[in-house]
Amino acid sequence: MPTSTTVFDQFTRRTADVTAQLTALGIPLTAPAPPPADLDPTDPWASSYPVPVDRSSLAWCTAVTMLADHHHTGIDRQVLAADALLRELGVRGLAQLHSDLHAGAPVDYRFTRCPYCSGIGEDPTQPTCGEVGCAPWLEFAGHDHPCPVCHGDDYQPQWVAEEQMTELEERLADAIEEREERASLRYRLRAWLCRRTVRS
C-alpha cells in the first residue's frame, strides 16, 4: 500500500539530505560559537552573546544549498558562509541572499519559486503563534503564518504573467492615444503659428 506524501515532506527530505552530507563529511550539526568580540566601552548596548546556528534547521539547509548550487561547489565549501548568513540575518536573510545571487535585483516571488517554502507561501516550519509572536487574539483565529522569505506571495507565473500582459497592453494603448493627441495639438499649434507669421 503506497504511503501518502504531503507538500511538507519535501522540507523534511531537504534537511535530511543536507544533514546526511554533513555527517558523512564529519561536519558538526551545530556551528561552533565565534570568538567573543571585544567589548566596546563606548557602546552600552553592545553584546558579545554569540547567536547559535543549528545546521540541521530548514533555513540553514536552504542557505547552504542555495550557495552551493550558485557557486557550483559542494556544501562543505559553503558551511561558513551559511553560518554567517543565519547568524547575522536569520531566516529573513534568505531573501537577501536570493537577491544577491540574482546580481542584487529584487526577486518577484510570483514568478520565481521561493527557495525556502518552495512556493506554497506559508512558513514551512509550521510555527506556533507563540513562536512567531502573533497577537494573542490571533492565536485562536486559525490564521496562516506567511513565509518569512517571500511573505506569502502567490507563486503563479502563468496567471500573473497574463495579468501583467493585459495591463501592459492597456498602458500601451493609452500611450498611443496620448501620443496621437499630442501630435494633433502640435499640428494645430504649428498651423496657428504659421498663419500668424504669414499675417504679420
Side-chain angles (χ1 to χ4, degrees):
M1 182 174 183
T3 58
S4 62
T5 59
T6 66
V7 69
F8 288 94
D9 291 337
Q10 65 181 304
F11 308 123
T12 307
R13 281 194 303 273
R14 186 187 308 164
T15 55
D17 290 346
V18 172
T19 53
Q21 289 182 56
L22 292 176
T23 304
L25 293 166
I27 298 172
L29 296 182
T30 303
D38 295 332
L39 289 179
D40 183 359
T42 61
D43 186 1
W45 299 104
S47 170
S48 61
Y49 175 71
V51 179
V53 175
D54 178 9
R55 291 177 177 159
S56 63
S57 70
L58 180 63
W60 190 90
C61 293
T62 302
V64 80
T65 303
M66 288 170 68
L67 288 162
D69 289 347
H70 180 74
H71 295 290
H72 307 291
T73 64
I75 64 168
D76 57 319
R77 302 279 304 274
Q78 304 301 331
V79 167
L80 297 179
D83 287 349
L85 176 77
L86 269 291
R87 187 175 281 123
E88 294 294 321
L89 300 174
V91 177
R92 287 176 177 81
L94 294 173
Q96 181 63 51
L97 173 63
H98 205 188
S99 174
D100 291 346
L101 296 180
H102 281 78
V107 180
D108 188 342
Y109 289 108
R110 296 172 305 166
F111 292 98
T112 306
R113 194 180 299 276
C114 174
Y116 186 54
C117 74
S118 296
I120 64 171
E122 296 177 35
D123 191 328
T125 61
Q126 297 177 308
T128 64
C129 289
E131 292 170 336
V132 177
C134 299
W137 58 271
L138 286 173
E139 292 188 29
F140 306 102
H143 68 287
D144 293 330
H145 295 121
C147 172
V149 176
C150 69
H151 304 290
D153 275 349
D154 196 7
Y155 174 68
Q156 291 189 358
Q158 297 84 359
W159 182 81
V160 176
E162 186 176 327
E163 183 184 62
Q164 286 197 340
M165 286 301 293
T166 303
E167 185 180 337
L168 285 173
E169 286 172 2
E170 289 172 1
R171 287 185 180 185
L172 181 61
D174 291 346
I176 290 170
E177 185 179 330
E178 186 178 322
R179 182 177 175 188
E180 288 172 352
E181 287 174 2
R182 285 184 183 170
S184 173
L185 179 62
R186 276 196 302 265
Y187 174 78
R188 287 192 305 241
L189 281 172
R190 192 178 307 123
W192 181 74
L193 287 171
C194 286
R195 278 190 299 235
R196 284 188 57 132
T197 309
V198 170
R199 286 184 203 159
S200 56

